[in-house]
mmCIF file of all heavy atoms in Angstrom:
data_model
loop_
_atom_site.group_PDB
_atom_site.id
_atom_site.type_symbol
_atom_site.label_atom_id
_atom_site.label_comp_id
_atom_site.label_asym_id
_atom_site.label_seq_id
_atom_site.Cartn_x
_atom_site.Cartn_y
_atom_site.Cartn_z
ATOM 1 N N PHE A 67 97.276 14.984 48.720
ATOM 2 C CA PHE A 67 98.658 14.479 48.829
ATOM 3 C C PHE A 67 98.661 12.919 48.825
ATOM 4 O O PHE A 67 97.726 12.291 49.372
ATOM 5 C CB PHE A 67 99.358 14.916 50.108
ATOM 6 C CG PHE A 67 99.639 16.400 50.121
ATOM 7 C CD1 PHE A 67 99.100 17.296 49.195
ATOM 8 C CD2 PHE A 67 100.388 16.926 51.179
ATOM 9 C CE1 PHE A 67 99.378 18.645 49.261
ATOM 10 C CE2 PHE A 67 100.648 18.273 51.261
ATOM 11 C CZ PHE A 67 100.157 19.152 50.348
ATOM 12 N N THR A 68 99.653 12.328 48.246
ATOM 13 C CA THR A 68 99.772 10.888 48.264
ATOM 14 C C THR A 68 101.223 10.525 48.676
ATOM 15 O O THR A 68 102.171 10.989 48.057
ATOM 16 C CB THR A 68 99.500 10.296 46.883
ATOM 17 O OG1 THR A 68 98.155 10.638 46.452
ATOM 18 C CG2 THR A 68 99.599 8.743 46.943
ATOM 19 N N ILE A 69 101.361 9.670 49.658
ATOM 20 C CA ILE A 69 102.669 9.237 50.125
ATOM 21 C C ILE A 69 102.819 7.790 49.586
ATOM 22 O O ILE A 69 101.951 6.962 49.495
ATOM 23 C CB ILE A 69 102.833 9.255 51.655
ATOM 24 C CG1 ILE A 69 104.244 8.958 52.076
ATOM 25 C CG2 ILE A 69 101.842 8.275 52.286
ATOM 26 C CD1 ILE A 69 104.566 9.250 53.518
ATOM 27 N N SER A 70 104.073 7.531 49.152
ATOM 28 C CA SER A 70 104.422 6.232 48.641
ATOM 29 C C SER A 70 105.898 5.905 48.970
ATOM 30 O O SER A 70 106.642 6.826 49.356
ATOM 31 C CB SER A 70 104.189 6.115 47.119
ATOM 32 O OG SER A 70 105.020 7.066 46.432
ATOM 33 N N GLY A 71 106.236 4.660 48.868
ATOM 34 C CA GLY A 71 107.609 4.316 49.210
ATOM 35 C C GLY A 71 108.155 3.176 48.369
ATOM 36 O O GLY A 71 107.399 2.422 47.729
ATOM 37 N N ASP A 72 109.471 3.094 48.384
ATOM 38 C CA ASP A 72 110.182 2.015 47.690
ATOM 39 C C ASP A 72 111.106 1.383 48.718
ATOM 40 O O ASP A 72 112.167 1.946 49.037
ATOM 41 C CB ASP A 72 110.942 2.615 46.522
ATOM 42 C CG ASP A 72 111.632 1.504 45.694
ATOM 43 O OD1 ASP A 72 111.904 0.399 46.220
ATOM 44 O OD2 ASP A 72 111.866 1.743 44.503
ATOM 45 N N ASN A 73 110.674 0.250 49.288
ATOM 46 C CA ASN A 73 111.452 -0.429 50.340
ATOM 47 C C ASN A 73 112.896 -0.807 49.879
ATOM 48 O O ASN A 73 113.855 -0.707 50.612
ATOM 49 C CB ASN A 73 110.768 -1.650 50.787
ATOM 50 C CG ASN A 73 109.518 -1.373 51.639
ATOM 51 O OD1 ASN A 73 109.382 -0.265 52.249
ATOM 52 N ND2 ASN A 73 108.574 -2.315 51.652
ATOM 53 N N ALA A 74 113.001 -1.216 48.621
ATOM 54 C CA ALA A 74 114.325 -1.651 48.109
ATOM 55 C C ALA A 74 115.288 -0.468 48.074
ATOM 56 O O ALA A 74 116.526 -0.685 48.195
ATOM 57 C CB ALA A 74 114.146 -2.244 46.705
ATOM 58 N N LYS A 75 114.790 0.707 47.891
ATOM 59 C CA LYS A 75 115.647 1.907 47.836
ATOM 60 C C LYS A 75 115.650 2.761 49.087
ATOM 61 O O LYS A 75 116.322 3.778 49.160
ATOM 62 C CB LYS A 75 115.221 2.824 46.641
ATOM 63 C CG LYS A 75 115.373 2.178 45.300
ATOM 64 C CD LYS A 75 114.952 3.121 44.190
ATOM 65 C CE LYS A 75 115.171 2.529 42.834
ATOM 66 N NZ LYS A 75 114.736 3.459 41.775
ATOM 67 N N ASN A 76 114.871 2.321 50.101
ATOM 68 C CA ASN A 76 114.701 3.081 51.333
ATOM 69 C C ASN A 76 114.364 4.509 51.079
ATOM 70 O O ASN A 76 114.949 5.457 51.659
ATOM 71 C CB ASN A 76 115.990 3.013 52.196
ATOM 72 C CG ASN A 76 116.216 1.631 52.828
ATOM 73 O OD1 ASN A 76 115.290 0.972 53.198
ATOM 74 N ND2 ASN A 76 117.481 1.227 52.955
ATOM 75 N N THR A 77 113.379 4.653 50.183
ATOM 76 C CA THR A 77 112.984 5.977 49.734
ATOM 77 C C THR A 77 111.512 6.194 49.862
ATOM 78 O O THR A 77 110.729 5.229 49.668
ATOM 79 C CB THR A 77 113.374 6.171 48.257
ATOM 80 O OG1 THR A 77 114.803 6.067 48.095
ATOM 81 C CG2 THR A 77 112.956 7.539 47.718
ATOM 82 N N VAL A 78 111.139 7.388 50.256
ATOM 83 C CA VAL A 78 109.740 7.768 50.361
ATOM 84 C C VAL A 78 109.447 8.989 49.540
ATOM 85 O O VAL A 78 110.330 9.855 49.360
ATOM 86 C CB VAL A 78 109.356 7.994 51.860
ATOM 87 C CG1 VAL A 78 110.032 9.224 52.434
ATOM 88 C CG2 VAL A 78 107.837 8.078 52.027
#
Side-chain angles (χ1 to χ4, degrees):
F67 293 7
T68 302
I69 189 169
S70 61
D72 186 335
N73 288 334
K75 297 181 178 180
N76 288 325
T77 300
V78 66

